[in-house]
Structure formats: C-alpha cells, structure tokens
Amino acid sequence: MESAAPSPPTTVPSIKVTGTPKFDIESYLANYTGKTRFDRLFLIGTCSTVLAVDALKAAVSEALSGNDVGRYEEAVQALRLHLVSSDPHAVLDRAWIDQKSKTTKAETDRLERELKGYKNNMIKESIRMGNEELGTHYHNIGDLASAAKAYTRMRDYCTTTANIASMCLRLIHVSIDRGDWLAVQSNVFKVRNLRPVKNEDWERLQSKVTAAMGLSQLETEAYRDAANSFLSVDPAITDTYNEVISSNDIAVYGGLCALASMDREELQRHVLDNQTFRSFLELEPHIRRAISFFCASKYTQCLEILEAYRTDYLLDLHLQQQVSNLYRRVRSKSIVQYLAPFSRVTLDSMSQAFATSLQRPIEDELIEMIESGTLQAKIDLENQVLVSGEKNLRTEVHQEAQDMMKAFTREAHLRLLRMNVLNAGLEVKAPGKQGGANHFGGAGDLFSGHGGRQLRAGGRQAAGGPF
C-alpha cells in the first residue's frame, strides 16, 4: 500500500565503494538530525559493500521513527538485496504502513481545514502560521513539492523581517532535499537583501544561509565560490544546522574546495591563517595537514592524505559526485607546481612523486594535461623526460618590434589626417576660440566642440552660415 504523499523515488547510485571507511556509523550519524540522517544512511547502504547491511538496517529504523512511508519502503526494498527473504528486516510492516498512511491523511485534512478557516477570518498571522504548519507536515511525510508550495504561500502574509527570513530558511531546507540548487541560491540572496537585525539569532541565520550557499556552489561545481562561502561561515553555527550540514562537513567541504581552486599563497592566507575557519579545521585535522603539506610543496604527502580518505568522501551525500573532479584538480595543481622550478624532469621521478593506486601510467595523465592546456610542456618519450615549455625569446622580440611599428604607423596616419583637415579648412571649432589652430594635436582634437559650431573656410565664414 502506498502512502498518501510518498517521497519521490530514490535512484540507487551506480557507484560501488569496496573500501572500508574510517568513520563509525553511530558516531557519524550523531552529527545529524532530521531527514538527512536517512539520506546519508541510504546512500551508504546502497554504495558501500562493507557497511551495506548495517546502514540499511539503520535506515529502516530511522524511517520507522518518522512519517515518510515512501522512504521506509525504499529502505526495505534495498535491504532485501542483501538478506534472505525470511529475514524479518526484509519484510514490510504492512500494519505500520496502513496506520501511518491513515494518520498522515487525517493530519493533512485537519491542517487544510484549519488553514481554510484562517483564510475566512482574514488574520494574516494565523494564515502564515497555518501555511507554515502545513509545509512542515508535507516536508515530514516526504511530499517536498507540496511543502515548497505551502512555504511559498507564506510570503504574502509575512509582516516582519523575521517572518520573511524564517520562510526563506524553510524554503532553502526543502530545496536542498529536492536538489534544487538554483532555488537555494535564490532564497539565500533574498535573506541577504533583508534589513539586518543585530542579535545572535540573526548572526546564526547568516551562518546557515552562507553554509547553504556553499553547499549549492559545491553541487554546481563552482569550487572557488564554495570555498569562499565555507571559509566565511561563523563558528557560532555549531550544531544548530545539523538537519542540513555539520561543522565537520564545513571543514571538509571548505578545505577540499580551497585545495582545488586556490594557489599556495591564497591557501596560507585564507585557510591556514583564517582564525574563523581554524575552529572548523580542528574538527578534521587531516584536512589541515593536507593543506599545510600543499603549501610547503610536499605534494606527495598531501595527495596520500586525500587518497586515504577517498572512501569516506565517496560515501558522503554531497561529496560523492564531486570527489573525482576535486581530486583531479588538486592533483593537476600539484603537478604544475612541482614542475615550476625545473626545465626538465624525468618521468621516473614524476611516477615516484605522484604514484596512485589506479596503476595508471603517468605519461597518460601528463598527455591529458598538455592537451587540455593545463600543463605547458612536452614529453620526450625517447629520453623519458618531460620538458617544460620554453619561451622563444627571438620570436617575442620580433613580435614586440611589429607591435611598436603598428602603433607608430597608426599614430603617423592620424597626425597626417589632422594636418590635411587643417589645410583644407575643415576644422570644427567651439565658439569662443579665436584663430585657426596651428598646432598638430592627436586624433581626438579633430572635433573639439559640440554646441554652436561654426565652419571656417580660409578664415571666412562659409556661405551657408552656421549650422
């Protein structure tokens, strides 16, 4: 039996993670509250071959503690792939489904009736609160589209800045669960354009919307913008936004995005020396070590740390689809920085410095970087040497001389044009100037006035008169 308002079907990820992560499921889930707990458990259960059963059992228990019947059915269906059909965990609790479906339908009808009554009474605050309660109910049962509509209807009945900010924050939460990142950014901008209120709640709200903005930028691969957003989150957010993101996530997401998009000087100034972000880095010391190694030009150690945590990041709800791209960017930056001081480097030394577990020849990676323009170098396969791009000084000198000749020719042409205009008596002068100009100015002096112009021809006024 289906629920009255089921969640949208969850697509089972195609990524399979065979490694053992470093985190413990129970301690990992302690950082989160609300629906994101189920989302993260379900992702781990459908991707990890090591933690699949434990994660999916926990996801079933999490679903049973809520009101979303659709997600409970999805979790049990995924668990059946790992258990025998006779296992009690692999059997749907039909009684719970029927009871929860009836309860949620009755609650939906009650809230809609109350909202209708509020509208008849024409009390703005009651209508706003009625839409808020209805949106929260839809959100809890997994009907995210209806939740977004209910929250949006609150806008016409918001009378204070706090009301508008609360509405936008709820819309941001629903949009994150829906994966609608454009809507997230739109509502973040709305909050930022509100008149600020100087109190702790307002500062905490700004931290939440900044973290949400960073999350949307990470998902849309705007890594530098995401890094700047996460780096500017106030530590006062602590555990107040655990229904979306934890302080540990801010440290990891901000550190990885900064590594992928900033150079060593920027990493030192904006990350390691950032007093605000330091409290987040203390929660994930390996991220701080990786950045420190990169700034110290110890690229091998930096990449080794990242590789050690690849499994963990592949099981993260927001990092899974970004890990490969982020790691590739960090690795490419490391190779470019490693080659900067040298004109020639042997491929053997490159292989040792940037060895990977993928058993992929370093030559293939270097060729891709050269073809994409990331690396300005050539590969000498005969001598097994990578030669950095050498500048042809002779060509540069010739090009500079040609540019100077073109500039001189253009200036001479303009001066000759000016001189011929003066000789023909076609100069246009502004009123008040006396006599013809007997100097040679730039091309901009050709027309020196705009109003009340007079045409001079041989020192006499033209027959046609002024124009």
Side-chain angles (χ1 to χ4, degrees):
M1 179 177 180
E2 295 181 355
S3 74
S7 296
T10 301
T11 303
V12 177
S14 59
I15 296 177
K16 289 297 179 182
V17 182
T18 57
T20 303
K22 297 181 179 295
F23 61 79
D24 175 71
I25 288 185
E26 292 184 1
S27 59
Y28 174 73
L29 286 180
N31 293 326
Y32 305 99
T33 59
K35 297 177 73 64
T36 190
R37 285 170 59 91
F38 176 88
D39 293 335
R40 292 176 181 272
L41 282 170
F42 190 80
L43 180 76
I44 295 172
T46 52
C47 293
S48 175
T49 57
V50 178
L51 301 176
V53 175
D54 293 338
L56 288 173
K57 285 182 178 180
V60 171
S61 300
E62 187 69 25
L64 286 172
S65 65
N67 299 315
D68 193 339
V69 177
R71 294 199 169 190
Y72 166 70
E73 293 174 339
E74 289 177 3
V76 173
Q77 183 179 359
L79 188 58
R80 285 175 177 171
L81 301 176
H82 303 276
L83 300 175
V84 296
S85 58
S86 59
D87 193 296
H89 292 94
V91 179
L92 283 172
D93 187 346
R94 293 291 178 183
W96 181 87
I97 293 176
D98 294 341
Q99 186 269 335
K100 188 61 66 174
S101 298
K102 293 178 181 178
T103 303
T104 54
K105 187 178 186 306
E107 181 68 9
T108 302
D109 294 340
R110 181 186 70 82
L111 291 173
E112 289 180 346
R113 284 196 306 270
E114 288 184 357
L115 179 59
K116 187 176 181 180
Y118 295 149
K119 289 181 178 179
N120 292 333
N121 295 332
M122 295 298 292
I123 302 176
K124 276 193 170 185
E125 182 62 16
S126 297
I127 298 173
R128 184 191 68 82
M129 293 182 64
N131 279 308
E132 183 177 342
E133 292 176 356
L134 187 60
T136 302
H137 170 69
Y138 280 135
H139 196 179
N140 290 336
I141 65 175
D143 192 353
L144 302 181
S146 297
K149 291 178 181 178
Y151 288 144
T152 303
R153 288 196 297 266
M154 293 170 58
R155 180 65 183 89
D156 295 334
Y157 306 100
C158 293
T159 56
T160 65
T161 300
N163 292 158
I164 299 174
S166 175
M167 177 203 68
C168 290
L169 194 62
R170 292 177 183 277
L171 282 171
I172 288 171
H173 190 183
V174 173
S175 299
I176 289 175
D177 288 345
R178 297 179 69 187
D180 188 353
W181 304 113
L182 289 178
V184 172
Q185 296 183 18
S186 175
N187 284 285
V188 168
F189 288 135
K190 289 179 182 178
V191 174
R192 289 178 174 176
N193 290 330
L194 295 175
R195 180 177 299 176
V197 179
K198 299 298 182 182
N199 54 42
E200 289 186 4
D201 292 338
W202 183 260
E203 293 177 359
R204 192 173 293 114
L205 172 67
Q206 292 298 318
S207 297
K208 290 180 179 181
V209 298
T210 301
M213 175 62 85
L215 202 57
S216 68
Q217 291 163 337
L218 169 64
E219 291 282 359
T220 54
E221 300 184 6
Y223 298 130
R224 186 174 183 86
D225 293 336
N228 290 330
S229 294
F230 288 124
L231 292 175
S232 60
V233 175
D234 194 296
I237 193 174
T238 58
D239 58 350
T240 60
Y241 207 32
N242 284 2
E243 64 271 21
V244 173
I245 191 172
S246 68
S247 297
N248 298 70
D249 292 335
I250 293 174
V252 173
Y253 299 166
L256 290 179
C257 289
L259 266 175
S261 60
M262 296 183 179
D263 58 32
R264 288 183 296 174
E265 182 182 350
E266 291 174 323
L267 285 170
Q268 183 67 45
R269 184 171 67 256
H270 297 308
V271 183
L272 297 180
D273 296 340
N274 187 335
Q275 298 297 326
T276 300
F277 196 66
R278 180 172 296 179
S279 58
F280 293 111
L281 286 178
E282 290 174 355
L283 301 174
E284 299 288 340
H286 67 280
I287 292 292
R288 181 180 180 86
R289 290 200 306 272
I291 297 174
S292 299
F293 281 135
F294 189 91
C295 292
S297 301
K298 298 179 180 179
Y299 306 112
T300 303
Q301 294 91 325
C302 172
L303 296 176
E304 286 176 351
I305 292 175
L306 296 183
E307 284 297 328
Y309 284 85
R310 180 187 284 267
T311 299
D312 293 44
Y313 299 153
L314 285 173
L315 296 176
D316 184 271
L317 183 63
H318 300 291
L319 273 182
Q320 186 183 77
Q321 301 299 324
Q322 310 298 330
V323 167
S324 298
N325 199 10
L326 286 169
Y327 275 36
R328 183 171 61 252
R329 292 194 180 200
V330 175
R331 185 174 172 83
S332 298
K333 280 177 55 183
S334 301
I335 292 175
V336 172
Q337 294 284 343
Y338 177 83
L339 294 173
F342 308 107
S343 60
R344 292 172 177 267
V345 179
T346 62
L347 296 180
D348 289 339
S349 63
M350 291 286 297
S351 299
Q352 294 175 4
F354 297 97
T356 65
S357 58
L358 302 178
Q359 302 298 325
R360 183 189 182 192
I362 190 67
E363 294 89 334
D364 295 346
E365 186 173 2
L366 293 174
I367 290 172
E368 288 184 1
M369 292 178 62
I370 293 172
E371 290 178 343
S372 64
T374 305
L375 180 62
Q376 302 297 325
K378 299 178 181 179
I379 300 178
D380 185 350
L381 292 177
E382 182 178 355
N383 297 317
Q384 292 293 296
V385 173
L386 180 69
V387 182
S388 62
E390 299 178 354
K391 295 183 178 179
N392 191 328
L393 298 179
R394 183 184 181 88
T395 302
E396 290 184 358
V397 171
H398 286 176
Q399 185 62 44
E400 185 178 353
Q402 289 179 0
D403 293 341
M404 291 176 61
M405 181 183 66
K406 290 179 180 178
F408 175 79
T409 303
R410 183 176 181 277
E411 183 178 357
H413 173 74
L414 293 175
R415 288 183 177 274
L416 287 172
L417 178 61
R418 168 68 175 171
M419 184 174 61
N420 290 333
V421 168
L422 291 174
N423 290 338
L426 298 177
E427 181 187 16
V428 177
K429 298 289 290 183
K433 284 193 176 182
Q434 298 179 0
N438 53 9
H439 65 282
F440 298 116
D445 296 332
L446 185 57
F447 300 102
S448 55
H450 298 284
R453 292 174 179 168
Q454 192 174 23
L455 184 64
R456 294 166 13 102
R460 299 190 303 272
Q461 183 174 318
F467 61 98

